[in-house]
Amino acid sequence: MQRRDFITLLGGTVAAWSVGARAQQAGKAWRIGCLSPASSGNLKTFMQGLNDLGYVDGKNIQFEQRVADGNVDRLPALAAELVRTNVDVILAESSFAVEAARRATKTIPIVMTGVGNPVGSGFVKSISQPGGNITGLSNDSIEVSSKYLEYLRDAVPNLMRVGVLIDPKHPNHPTVLKQVQVGVQAIGASVSSIEMRSVSEIDAALRLIQQDRLDALIVPPDPTFSHHLSSDYRVRDQQSAAHYVWAKARS
């Protein structure tokens, strides 16, 4: 089995890159580095999928997992650790992890997941011709952000005041905010930007939400939001985190 075949298996990808294929060494266990801002069930599902295809951790593959526990500032050091361990490929979850892995290596293949705007973030040149050493899956958080207002107006016909909870460090959030601002102008409503870099700022964010008397709140996908609120407030995922913030602000 060639390295390129293994990466294609790993990605299920929307893009591909050219890497020098090499014959599988007898008895070699391919080493997969996993880089993530926070713990999630995605890796367990991924490992199970590989197991179903005959790839077993500790037998013919080996996982090296690095998790930043919600602190994205740790990701560059964790990515550098994976490079030093000489993994064969890095699975990077979220834009923060992909950026850290991209800066750490130009040669080890990187498979991205949970990335909203790989072209705009500079990870690939285009979806059809990515170039470089990055491939993988992109979600639609940027593309569908223009639809948020349509969904909200269906739920709140008299929608006039909309808030967007953003992390200024997140590479996609400014774009989401701009698209919402354009949509809000078209319907004659107003938009407020509420910044929250960590769970320590949640009280200040809640005060702003209450002060602005918002009709609705948009919470773009963010791994640190869901991680910190999951550990501190016992919510399960990104959707639960968004519901918690909104319910807390309305209470």
Side-chain angles (χ1 to χ4, degrees), residues 5-70:
D5 297 329
F6 180 73
I7 301 305
T8 302
L9 163 71
L10 200 149
T13 59
V14 295
W17 71 90
S18 176
V19 296
R22 65 187 185 190
Q24 180 180 11
Q25 302 171 16
K28 176 180 174 61
W30 296 100
R31 304 184 70 193
I32 304 174
C34 301
L35 184 65
S36 176
S39 298
S40 71
N42 296 335
L43 178 59
K44 183 178 180 180
T45 302
F46 173 64
M47 293 174 68
Q48 182 59 54
L50 286 179
N51 188 71
D52 293 343
L53 293 169
Y55 299 95
V56 180
D57 186 24
K59 183 178 179 182
N60 49 4
I61 57 174
Q62 179 179 338
F63 284 94
E64 292 284 347
Q65 188 177 8
R66 299 294 186 275
V67 181
D69 296 326

Side-chain angles (χ1 to χ4, degrees), residues 93-188:
E93 187 176 0
S94 86
S95 297
F96 289 117
V98 176
E99 175 63 18
R102 183 180 71 86
R103 290 180 178 274
T105 179
K106 302 297 183 186
T107 56
I108 298 175
I110 299 167
V111 177
M112 61 184 174
T113 180
V115 175
N117 187 12
V119 177
S121 297
F123 300 148
V124 297
K125 293 180 180 178
S126 70
I127 296 299
S128 59
Q129 298 290 330
N133 62 322
I134 301 177
T135 187
L137 301 171
S138 171
N139 62 35
D140 295 328
S141 62
I142 295 295
E143 288 78 3
V144 303
S145 60
S146 60
K147 296 289 185 180
Y148 288 154
L149 288 173
E150 294 181 23
Y151 303 149
L152 287 176
R153 291 201 77 185
D154 287 341
V156 187
N158 297 321
L159 183 70
M160 292 302 296
R161 293 179 296 276
V162 180
V164 183
L165 184 65
I166 68 168
D167 178 352
K169 298 182 297 183
H170 197 291
N172 297 337
H173 285 190
T175 303
V176 171
L177 177 60
K178 288 179 181 177
Q179 292 199 1
V180 173
Q181 288 171 331
V182 171
V184 161
Q185 290 177 354
I187 64 174

Side-chain angles (χ1 to χ4, degrees), residues 141-249:
S141 62
I142 295 295
E143 288 78 3
V144 303
S145 60
S146 60
K147 296 289 185 180
Y148 288 154
L149 288 173
E150 294 181 23
Y151 303 149
L152 287 176
R153 291 201 77 185
D154 287 341
V156 187
N158 297 321
L159 183 70
M160 292 302 296
R161 293 179 296 276
V162 180
V164 183
L165 184 65
I166 68 168
D167 178 352
K169 298 182 297 183
H170 197 291
N172 297 337
H173 285 190
T175 303
V176 171
L177 177 60
K178 288 179 181 177
Q179 292 199 1
V180 173
Q181 288 171 331
V182 171
V184 161
Q185 290 177 354
I187 64 174
S190 63
V191 61
S192 297
S193 171
I194 299 101
E195 296 185 357
M196 192 175 90
R197 296 171 180 81
S198 69
V199 73
S200 64
E201 298 182 3
I202 188 172
D203 289 335
L206 291 172
R207 285 194 295 271
L208 286 174
I209 295 170
Q210 295 167 339
Q211 175 183 313
D212 290 345
R213 302 178 63 84
L214 301 175
D215 297 315
L217 179 69
I218 294 172
V219 183
D222 185 285
T224 56
F225 286 176
S226 56
H227 172 79
H228 285 303
L229 290 173
S230 294
S231 59
D232 289 11
Y233 296 95
R234 302 182 186 278
V235 299
R236 296 187 304 275
D237 48 34
Q238 169 68 30
Q239 185 176 9
S240 301
H243 289 166
Y244 171 86
V245 173
W246 182 237
K248 191 72 174 177

